[in-house]
Amino acid sequence: PIDLKANSKKLVQGTFLIYGESGSGKTRLAATFEKPLFFSDSTEKGWVTIEGMDRNLFYDPEIYPVVEPMSSPEDVNKLLAKYSKDIHEGKFKTLVFDSLSFYGDAYLSILSRKGEFKDGRQMYNVFYNHIRYIMIEIHKLPIHVVWVCLAKESAKPGEDGSILMPGKSQVTCPARCSYW
């Protein structure tokens, strides 16, 4: 495990992936990072977890996490524009994207409803490129980034599953993160 407080001067920027089953404590863990700003799926209601947490569990008990709900993929760009100045000025030290799995489902659903694709592979390629773009752009920010994902069940008992993301994203999303 990484002791962020002990290494905060050494760790300039980290990209983290927290994944697990529903209710396993992913959001709770993410809320313990330094000065977190959450972009949270509005249907998942992860902020309810944060509201119920003991403030002493936060990195700094005096600083309560800021939570912004996302209800559509367009919200990501709006929220990045809204908080860009604060991020660059260091008012936040961690951006938590909660959850990439829910965001991916929503975006894939939008693509599917459009009906523009003759072949499902085209749709998944557009999906993959979009997720790739979002991750690359967010990783450029001068801030720790925590991606929260649901876990996919392992094919074999006793083995860890991967993240719950469609197609090659379940392999490439974790590869873009420094710590799992």
Side-chain angles (χ1 to χ4, degrees):
I2 301 164
D3 182 350
L4 289 177
K5 285 185 182 181
N7 293 311
S8 64
K9 301 264 188 280
K10 297 176 194 170
L11 189 62
V12 176
Q13 178 188 0
T15 53
F16 302 82
L17 174 68
I18 299 172
Y19 70 104
E21 296 174 11
S22 184
S24 63
K26 300 176 298 296
T27 300
R28 183 179 173 93
L29 175 60
T32 67
F33 278 71
E34 185 178 11
K35 295 183 183 176
L37 168 61
F38 277 74
F39 289 179
S40 295
D41 185 277
S42 60
T43 62
E44 189 185 23
K45 298 184 181 172
W47 62 83
V48 174
T49 298
I50 297 168
E51 289 174 347
M53 286 178 66
D54 179 344
R55 292 181 77 94
N56 291 316
L57 295 174
F58 298 143
Y59 185 92
D60 180 344
E62 301 300 316
I63 299 175
Y64 196 81
V66 173
V67 181
E68 286 281 358
M70 296 183 298
S71 57
S72 70
E74 293 82 23
D75 288 345
V76 175
N77 288 330
K78 290 176 188 173
L79 291 171
L80 287 171
K82 177 179 178 179
Y83 286 101
S84 179
K85 182 179 177 200
D86 291 338
I87 289 170
H88 284 88
E89 290 176 354
K91 292 181 182 174
F92 296 101
K93 297 289 185 184
T94 307
L95 174 62
V96 180
F97 200 99
D98 189 12
S99 117
L100 189 57
S101 300
F102 278 81
Y103 178 84
D105 281 348
Y107 190 72
L108 198 54
S109 177
I110 289 168
L111 292 177
S112 178
R113 285 193 307 266
K114 284 184 177 180
E116 298 175 353
F117 305 99
K118 297 176 185 174
D119 179 324
R121 292 174 295 185
Q122 293 172 327
M123 181 178 69
Y124 279 98
N125 194 43
V126 168
F127 168 82
Y128 168 77
N129 286 327
H130 175 74
I131 296 297
R132 178 180 178 275
Y133 172 78
I134 291 285
M135 290 187 82
I136 288 170
E137 291 304 306
I138 289 177
H139 286 183
K140 289 178 185 177
L141 297 171
I143 193 168
H144 299 298
V145 179
V146 177
W147 300 95
V148 177
C149 288
L150 288 170
K152 180 179 174 183
E153 280 191 39
S154 171
K156 296 179 184 176
E159 288 184 5
D160 286 339
S162 61
I163 64 170
L164 187 60
M165 289 291 286
K168 60 186 175 181
S169 292
Q170 70 179 256
V171 174
T172 58
C173 288
R176 288 190 184 91
C177 298
S178 303
Y179 305 96
W180 298 3

